[in-house]
Amino acid sequence: MHHKVYKCALQPFPPDLDEPILTIHQTISDVRGSFYQEKTVFLRCTVSSNPPARFIWKRETATLSHNQDNGVDIYEPLYTQGETKVLKLKNLRPQDYANYTCQVSVRNVCGIPDKSITFRLTNKTGAAWWGRTGGDKKLYRSKKSLQSPLWLKAEAAPPALKMSVNETLVVNPGDNVTMQCTLTGGDPPPKAVWSHSPNPMPPNSISKGGNLTIRQIRAEDSGFYNCTAINNVGNPAKKTVNLLVRSMRNLTYQITPDVIKESETIQLGQDLKLSCHVDAVPQDKVQYTWYKNQKVIKTSDRIVITKNDLELPPVTSSLEIIDLRFSDYGTYLCDASLPNLPLTLNSSEINISAETVPPSISVPRGQLVITVREGSTAELQCEVRGKPLPPVLWTRMDKEATFPNGEKLIETPDGKLRLENVTREMSGGYKCQTARYNGFNIRSREAAVQLNVQFAPVVEPKFQDLRLPMKRSVTLRCNMLKGSPVKVATAVWRFERSLLSVPPIEQQEFSEYKINSTRRETSGTYECTISNDVGSDSCVFQVTGRAYNPEFYYDTPNPIESFKQFKNYSYLIQWTQKEPGAVDPVLHYKLELKPPNMKGMNSFVVISRDSRKGFLYELRLTDLKIPQHYEVKITPHTVSGPGDSASRSIRYKEHGTCRFEDDKLCGFVQDKYDTFDWIRQSKVNQSLRRTANTGPVMDRSGKPEGFYMFIEASRPRRFGDKARLISPLYNITSRLPSLKTTYCVSFYYHMYGRHIGNLTVLLRLKNIVSQDIPLWSKKGDQGNKWQLENLQVNPTAPFQIVFECVIGKGVEGDMAIDDVTIRKGECLKRQIPPTKAVAAPSSAARHPLSGFRLWLVSFLLFVLLR
């Protein structure tokens, strides 16, 4: 648990504590006459507070605790973020009929007093509600309190309501619809609220009290409308109306030849079925009427009309003609209507005759493969024949692929599919097929069209840097990764923009150029441009014998020596060569030293001594002027000339104390491989929920605006978590053991709290393998004060200082450091405070130098006597 201290003056938002809200719930539905008897009751207390409030439940004046007996539970519901506490009274007993108070407190932060609300539970199905806030009695009827201090006794009852309309209400589009939700019970009086699902309330609706009015209702306003009443007693009351707005759309028909004889054509003497379907609301109220030659069809032994064909979608009407005769030929039509809706939908005319034939589909000659360029328009075509002529459905052969609009199916009435601004991803096979509606209900006829989208080639490598020794041969190769057409049509090679002679290539996916012997004359930029019938793309090769750049080794932000009396300082530059074996050996390095933004430059030449990878070069730069900064540039030279350079800045910086006032932390960095990070903070910006009884209040200077580095032990931190803060890298003058360089590490630490873990200081040496050496460690509570520690080290390699904190076993384990100094030289010895003993007046202690004076006199007498 976090223990926090809140200061009113430091709050970014004023503290507040809302009035608590009390709601009552039961485990089963209400039973008249025994509303509370032998039941489980939940008293749910909710409050909004900043800072978080503490909850206390009381029965009369006695404080209740969790599981204090078998009849009481106190718990926090999931996902309430500490804002709710529930008191559960299980199987009510005689002693449970009493006054229950929920008291909430922010511990008098900024003078905010405790607040409470009380509920009286009786065995007479009655209850009195009242609350107490800051000593004033107020009546609570709902979430808000009444303004006048008075008592109210009433029957607490859950809400009840009734609806003025049926559970299903069907209306016409354009009507004005009103639904009334009447409250019939509940104490305190409930409030009715309307909602709509699955969509929000329509914009043309007005809700006032229990009345809901929808003006000029539309088909999209259909759905479930819910009236809900809540008074925080028992369960909410809810009534739902399914509002349907009459509508019809998408009327289709089908012709089904004799299924029993598995026929796909219309034949005399066989059965025939015509089907008609419309999408309507409400679907089950649709009425169909069949016509032949504009006259209503009458049923007979051979003519059967069904309203709901079980073999087809629900509410589909079918006209079955048994033993088809010549007299049955004619023009058929069906229409659909809804009661009370002044709208009728008619199907297309269905001609039944010897000329009525099933559909066929094919691709016109020359249209099986369509080739277009990327970005243009493609038109795919399938020819459909038959009577009646059905629509054509288009899909992609790749079932996972979609059309540009995201759909997987497109219907076209004439069989033509037009695709605008085609892309390479649209290449592939497309299938056209006849639809089963508005035509024959038989196996679909299918055909396929292949779409090829041509696009410019994509090549690799886009750029390649080739570093080679002199007099070597190399073959440059430009590969065509993808493109349409997939073969290289032409390949043009250039060297420094001049055309090269390359033999013609056969149709393939790449082009090559060979350099027989690398020389200075053949070093430079080569470009290969590959083209197909659509466009081109280029590979670029940089061929050179230039050495790669040097790499600085364990750079340090500080000088190694400074001589203030002469106003100069020294600096040690160290570097290695990147990929020395890639080209001819480095002959020497040229170093250029220049103050920035100033004229003049000093140059040095360092002869290469070893071409092995990782060999360390050193150069000591002396007589650098204090406090001048410098730019140093190092360039390797081989037989092919100068290589790539590396540059860096040298900045003069005296050894000083880091007080962490700058957010750059004096070059200190967080360890990337620890568990969590140190925090830079001051009293002004510290967390408002900081843990009490641990950690410093201010930095070592005692100023509220002063910063220090801090670790927080509260959640989500766990026991054993580590945080490391790493100093900048410090170089040393010499690595010889006989010439040790001494450094003093000085810092202040604060370790106060009963759960303090470990604070450790490590020396990290930067040899070939980094090594961490423990220098100092403290564990446990060291008192509520800043304490100084001096550590003397003798590093034998470039080094860093690491401050490591390990979390203890609780939240009161915050630690901090401040005023860190890392300087060359021995640590100053601490002065020993004088004792309380006082010497006698005649003692030598009265004259601290009296012994020295006596020795001096004796020495002079000795010299004179000689």
Side-chain angles (χ1 to χ4, degrees), residues 495-509:
F495 173 62
E496 299 294 345
R497 299 186 178 181
S498 298
L499 282 172
L500 296 174
S501 177
V502 180
I505 63 171
E506 298 179 356
Q507 290 289 319
Q508 53 192 17
E509 292 84 14

PDB file of all heavy atoms in Angstrom, residues 495-509:
ATOM      1  N   PHE A 495      29.986   5.214 -66.112  1.00  0.00           N
ATOM      2  CA  PHE A 495      31.022   5.467 -65.107  1.00  0.00           C
ATOM      3  C   PHE A 495      31.242   6.961 -65.050  1.00  0.00           C
ATOM      4  O   PHE A 495      31.624   7.591 -66.049  1.00  0.00           O
ATOM      5  CB  PHE A 495      32.325   4.744 -65.473  1.00  0.00           C
ATOM      6  CG  PHE A 495      33.476   5.107 -64.565  1.00  0.00           C
ATOM      7  CD1 PHE A 495      33.429   4.841 -63.202  1.00  0.00           C
ATOM      8  CD2 PHE A 495      34.608   5.731 -65.072  1.00  0.00           C
ATOM      9  CE1 PHE A 495      34.480   5.182 -62.369  1.00  0.00           C
ATOM     10  CE2 PHE A 495      35.670   6.069 -64.242  1.00  0.00           C
ATOM     11  CZ  PHE A 495      35.603   5.797 -62.882  1.00  0.00           C
ATOM     12  N   GLU A 496      30.970   7.537 -63.867  1.00  0.00           N
ATOM     13  CA  GLU A 496      31.047   8.991 -63.704  1.00  0.00           C
ATOM     14  C   GLU A 496      30.285   9.700 -64.816  1.00  0.00           C
ATOM     15  O   GLU A 496      30.767  10.640 -65.448  1.00  0.00           O
ATOM     16  CB  GLU A 496      32.512   9.450 -63.666  1.00  0.00           C
ATOM     17  CG  GLU A 496      33.335   8.874 -62.531  1.00  0.00           C
ATOM     18  CD  GLU A 496      32.883   9.353 -61.159  1.00  0.00           C
ATOM     19  OE1 GLU A 496      32.132  10.341 -61.113  1.00  0.00           O
ATOM     20  OE2 GLU A 496      33.272   8.738 -60.146  1.00  0.00           O
ATOM     21  N   ARG A 497      29.075   9.172 -65.097  1.00  0.00           N
ATOM     22  CA  ARG A 497      28.125   9.717 -66.071  1.00  0.00           C
ATOM     23  C   ARG A 497      28.534   9.514 -67.536  1.00  0.00           C
ATOM     24  O   ARG A 497      27.833   9.982 -68.436  1.00  0.00           O
ATOM     25  CB  ARG A 497      27.877  11.207 -65.814  1.00  0.00           C
ATOM     26  CG  ARG A 497      27.283  11.495 -64.440  1.00  0.00           C
ATOM     27  CD  ARG A 497      26.917  12.956 -64.311  1.00  0.00           C
ATOM     28  NE  ARG A 497      26.313  13.222 -63.004  1.00  0.00           N
ATOM     29  CZ  ARG A 497      25.871  14.417 -62.606  1.00  0.00           C
ATOM     30  NH1 ARG A 497      25.970  15.457 -63.449  1.00  0.00           N
ATOM     31  NH2 ARG A 497      25.362  14.570 -61.412  1.00  0.00           N
ATOM     32  N   SER A 498      29.648   8.832 -67.766  1.00  0.00           N
ATOM     33  CA  SER A 498      30.068   8.535 -69.144  1.00  0.00           C
ATOM     34  C   SER A 498      29.637   7.122 -69.502  1.00  0.00           C
ATOM     35  O   SER A 498      29.759   6.188 -68.688  1.00  0.00           O
ATOM     36  CB  SER A 498      31.581   8.671 -69.285  1.00  0.00           C
ATOM     37  OG  SER A 498      31.985   9.992 -69.001  1.00  0.00           O
ATOM     38  N   LEU A 499      29.132   6.932 -70.748  1.00  0.00           N
ATOM     39  CA  LEU A 499      28.638   5.628 -71.178  1.00  0.00           C
ATOM     40  C   LEU A 499      29.769   4.619 -71.239  1.00  0.00           C
ATOM     41  O   LEU A 499      30.897   4.937 -71.662  1.00  0.00           O
ATOM     42  CB  LEU A 499      27.970   5.743 -72.549  1.00  0.00           C
ATOM     43  CG  LEU A 499      26.560   6.321 -72.576  1.00  0.00           C
ATOM     44  CD1 LEU A 499      26.110   6.544 -74.015  1.00  0.00           C
ATOM     45  CD2 LEU A 499      25.597   5.386 -71.861  1.00  0.00           C
ATOM     46  N   LEU A 500      29.462   3.396 -70.822  1.00  0.00           N
ATOM     47  CA  LEU A 500      30.395   2.279 -70.915  1.00  0.00           C
ATOM     48  C   LEU A 500      29.906   1.323 -71.991  1.00  0.00           C
ATOM     49  O   LEU A 500      28.696   1.183 -72.228  1.00  0.00           O
ATOM     50  CB  LEU A 500      30.509   1.543 -69.582  1.00  0.00           C
ATOM     51  CG  LEU A 500      31.093   2.339 -68.413  1.00  0.00           C
ATOM     52  CD1 LEU A 500      30.996   1.527 -67.131  1.00  0.00           C
ATOM     53  CD2 LEU A 500      32.550   2.711 -68.684  1.00  0.00           C
ATOM     54  N   SER A 501      30.839   0.644 -72.634  1.00  0.00           N
ATOM     55  CA  SER A 501      30.498  -0.326 -73.669  1.00  0.00           C
ATOM     56  C   SER A 501      30.213  -1.669 -73.009  1.00  0.00           C
ATOM     57  O   SER A 501      31.091  -2.254 -72.355  1.00  0.00           O
ATOM     58  CB  SER A 501      31.653  -0.455 -74.676  1.00  0.00           C
ATOM     59  OG  SER A 501      31.352  -1.452 -75.641  1.00  0.00           O
ATOM     60  N   VAL A 502      28.994  -2.141 -73.153  1.00  0.00           N
ATOM     61  CA  VAL A 502      28.568  -3.411 -72.562  1.00  0.00           C
ATOM     62  C   VAL A 502      27.935  -4.255 -73.652  1.00  0.00           C
ATOM     63  O   VAL A 502      27.097  -3.750 -74.420  1.00  0.00           O
ATOM     64  CB  VAL A 502      27.564  -3.188 -71.415  1.00  0.00           C
ATOM     65  CG1 VAL A 502      27.125  -4.519 -70.818  1.00  0.00           C
ATOM     66  CG2 VAL A 502      28.174  -2.308 -70.340  1.00  0.00           C
ATOM     67  N   PRO A 503      28.323  -5.537 -73.773  1.00  0.00           N
ATOM     68  CA  PRO A 503      27.704  -6.389 -74.810  1.00  0.00           C
ATOM     69  C   PRO A 503      26.197  -6.476 -74.608  1.00  0.00           C
ATOM     70  O   PRO A 503      25.698  -6.412 -73.477  1.00  0.00           O
ATOM     71  CB  PRO A 503      28.376  -7.750 -74.584  1.00  0.00           C
ATOM     72  CG  PRO A 503      29.626  -7.452 -73.826  1.00  0.00           C
ATOM     73  CD  PRO A 503      29.328  -6.247 -72.999  1.00  0.00           C
ATOM     74  N   PRO A 504      25.424  -6.592 -75.693  1.00  0.00           N
ATOM     75  CA  PRO A 504      23.964  -6.735 -75.567  1.00  0.00           C
ATOM     76  C   PRO A 504      23.624  -7.953 -74.717  1.00  0.00           C
ATOM     77  O   PRO A 504      24.298  -8.984 -74.746  1.00  0.00           O
ATOM     78  CB  PRO A 504      23.494  -6.896 -77.016  1.00  0.00           C
ATOM     79  CG  PRO A 504      24.608  -6.349 -77.854  1.00  0.00           C
ATOM     80  CD  PRO A 504      25.874  -6.620 -77.101  1.00  0.00           C
ATOM     81  N   ILE A 505      22.577  -7.824 -73.947  1.00  0.00           N
ATOM     82  CA  ILE A 505      22.174  -8.906 -73.045  1.00  0.00           C
ATOM     83  C   ILE A 505      20.990  -9.655 -73.625  1.00  0.00           C
ATOM     84  O   ILE A 505      20.215  -9.131 -74.420  1.00  0.00           O
ATOM     85  CB  ILE A 505      21.807  -8.363 -71.658  1.00  0.00           C
ATOM     86  CG1 ILE A 505      20.598  -7.420 -71.775  1.00  0.00           C
ATOM     87  CG2 ILE A 505      22.976  -7.653 -71.015  1.00  0.00           C
ATOM     88  CD1 ILE A 505      20.038  -7.006 -70.450  1.00  0.00           C
ATOM     89  N   GLU A 506      20.915 -10.912 -73.239  1.00  0.00           N
ATOM     90  CA  GLU A 506      19.734 -11.694 -73.573  1.00  0.00           C
ATOM     91  C   GLU A 506      18.649 -11.382 -72.541  1.00  0.00           C
ATOM     92  O   GLU A 506      18.888 -10.762 -71.521  1.00  0.00           O
ATOM     93  CB  GLU A 506      20.075 -13.182 -73.566  1.00  0.00           C
ATOM     94  CG  GLU A 506      21.132 -13.567 -74.591  1.00  0.00           C
ATOM     95  CD  GLU A 506      21.453 -15.052 -74.527  1.00  0.00           C
ATOM     96  OE1 GLU A 506      20.886 -15.721 -73.630  1.00  0.00           O
ATOM     97  OE2 GLU A 506      22.255 -15.522 -75.346  1.00  0.00           O
ATOM     98  N   GLN A 507      17.427 -11.824 -72.843  1.00  0.00           N
ATOM     99  CA  GLN A 507      16.324 -11.587 -71.911  1.00  0.00           C
ATOM    100  C   GLN A 507      16.598 -12.311 -70.599  1.00  0.00           C
ATOM    101  O   GLN A 507      16.588 -13.539 -70.529  1.00  0.00           O
ATOM    102  CB  GLN A 507      15.004 -12.076 -72.525  1.00  0.00           C
ATOM    103  CG  GLN A 507      14.534 -11.238 -73.686  1.00  0.00           C
ATOM    104  CD  GLN A 507      14.039  -9.878 -73.236  1.00  0.00           C
ATOM    105  OE1 GLN A 507      13.367  -9.762 -72.246  1.00  0.00           O
ATOM    106  NE2 GLN A 507      14.403  -8.833 -73.999  1.00  0.00           N
ATOM    107  N   GLN A 508      16.908 -11.573 -69.543  1.00  0.00           N
ATOM    108  CA  GLN A 508      17.188 -12.149 -68.238  1.00  0.00           C
ATOM    109  C   GLN A 508      16.809 -11.135 -67.164  1.00  0.00           C
ATOM    110  O   GLN A 508      16.328 -10.041 -67.473  1.00  0.00           O
ATOM    111  CB  GLN A 508      18.660 -12.542 -68.118  1.00  0.00           C
ATOM    112  CG  GLN A 508      19.617 -11.410 -68.450  1.00  0.00           C
ATOM    113  CD  GLN A 508      21.056 -11.899 -68.597  1.00  0.00           C
ATOM    114  OE1 GLN A 508      21.277 -13.080 -68.758  1.00  0.00           O
ATOM    115  NE2 GLN A 508      22.016 -10.991 -68.540  1.00  0.00           N
ATOM    116  N   GLU A 509      17.041 -11.494 -65.877  1.00  0.00           N
ATOM    117  CA  GLU A 509      16.590 -10.662 -64.765  1.00  0.00           C
ATOM    118  C   GLU A 509      17.717  -9.841 -64.156  1.00  0.00           C
ATOM    119  O   GLU A 509      17.562  -9.293 -63.069  1.00  0.00           O
ATOM    120  CB  GLU A 509      15.954 -11.537 -63.668  1.00  0.00           C
ATOM    121  CG  GLU A 509      14.655 -12.191 -64.053  1.00  0.00           C
ATOM    122  CD  GLU A 509      14.876 -13.493 -64.813  1.00  0.00           C
ATOM    123  OE1 GLU A 509      16.020 -14.007 -64.805  1.00  0.00           O
ATOM    124  OE2 GLU A 509      13.922 -13.988 -65.424  1.00  0.00           O
TER     125      GLU A 509
END
